[in-house]
Amino acid sequence: MITALAQIAALALAQVGPNPAVGGMPGVPEELANRPPRDVAVQQPQDAPLGRCLRLASERPQAALDMAQRWREQSESARDLAQSAHCLGLAMVQLGRLEEAQKVFDLAAGEAPDDNLPYAARLSAMAGNAAMARGKPDEALPLIDRAGGMALAAEDKPLAAQLRVDLARTLVALGNDGDAEQALAEARDADATNGEAWLLSATLSRRMKRYGEAQQQIERAGALAPREPAVGLEAGVIAALSGREADAIRSFQSVLLVAPESYEAERARGYLEQLGGAVPQTESPPSR
């Protein structure tokens, strides 16, 4: 007879497919793929024309595309060239023209002013993200790796950590867990407060069956993001695979308490049913 812990182990180790609800990439573990979309360029301080163009891209992408093209024709500075291409690429993303968007973001990264490496890094990362959205991790790899290198050269440690996390996802999609582990180590070194880097490090260590390291890493993630449901779910899986059934049950129950309507809660309920753990009663969120 297959034990409950063995069933959880089989499920956890089989998590290599996409989550259709979030458009995950094939071959990427759900724990790595099922994360909030990242728009690194939005963090760049926006001059008035770029802000207007980006707002237009979210509402009327074809109009934004036309605006960006006119802007490029009139541009006289590296900044205007990069920002007009930035907006042009986002409009193309909204229109589903991902391959063109990838090329435009890459162009924008090269046009960014020499004294603004963080902006160039964000644009290069957006080119890589467009490649990932196309299902082309091989094309995304050099773009995202370059982006992280730019952020490190600029000594923008939070951005560098974020981009090394993205690099790890890309490497996992290519089946290169070893280099993904190194990318996550670089992310942690760049910014030890990046909870996502610790969470994904724990996930990767667990997939490699290094449960002691995984436990230490998920504890750091929990300290940084105690109410993040993905942390509680991963902590439960690590505990289950380590033979600590009571700890696993508590972790899965915590997911239901902090985020009862989440995707992670759905998974936690399934694990609790297999372990025979009580499912805590939670209140439904108020209707809006």
Side-chain angles (χ1 to χ4, degrees), residues 25 96-103 127-137 139-140:
M25 295 301 305
R97 295 162 57 176
L98 293 174
E99 184 173 4
E100 294 172 89
Q102 177 184 332
K103 294 176 181 177
N129 289 338
M132 288 294 285
R134 294 175 53 229
K136 300 288 185 179
E139 294 182 20

Side-chain angles (χ1 to χ4, degrees), residues 133-179:
R134 294 175 53 229
K136 300 288 185 179
D138 55 327
E139 294 182 20
L141 181 63
L143 297 166
I144 296 175
D145 190 15
R146 181 183 68 184
M150 290 176 176
L152 287 170
E155 298 185 350
D156 188 331
K157 293 185 177 181
L159 178 62
Q162 177 179 313
L163 295 178
R164 283 310 190 218
V165 167
D166 286 348
L167 178 63
R169 286 199 191 88
T170 307
L171 288 163
V172 169
L174 291 167
N176 192 339
D177 286 1
D179 284 349

Side-chain angles (χ1 to χ4, degrees), residues 204-238:
L204 198 55
S205 294
R206 183 258 294 169
R207 282 168 48 82
M208 294 176 171
K209 300 184 180 181
R210 300 206 303 253
Y211 301 131
E213 289 180 40
Q215 181 61 33
Q216 293 176 355
Q217 290 161 344
I218 202 63
E219 287 175 2
R220 288 292 300 272
L224 292 165
R227 297 187 63 81
E228 169 57 54
V231 172
L233 184 67
E234 181 60 42
V237 173
I238 292 169

Side-chain angles (χ1 to χ4, degrees), residues 1 40 83 96 104 120 145 188 192 196 239 247 259 265 272 279 286:
M1 179 180 295
V40 292
Q83 290 186 348
V104 169
D145 190 15
R188 301 192 306 269
E196 187 176 14
D247 290 341
L272 283 170
V279 175

Side-chain angles (χ1 to χ4, degrees), residues 236-258:
V237 173
I238 292 169
L241 294 177
S242 302
R244 295 182 286 110
E245 183 173 328
D247 290 341
I249 289 173
R250 282 192 293 271
S251 291
F252 294 140
Q253 289 172 335
S254 74
V255 174
L256 298 180
L257 292 172
V258 300

Side-chain angles (χ1 to χ4, degrees), residues 15-38 132 165-166 168-170 172-173 196 199-200 203 207 230 263-264:
Q15 289 168 4
V16 296
N19 175 3
V22 296
M25 295 301 305
V28 182
E30 291 180 8
E31 304 90 332
L32 294 179
N34 185 30
R35 308 301 301 149
R38 196 190 303 284
M132 288 294 285
V165 167
D166 286 348
R169 286 199 191 88
T170 307
V172 169
E196 187 176 14
L199 167 61
L200 300 187
T203 297
R207 282 168 48 82
Y263 163 80
E264 290 85 0

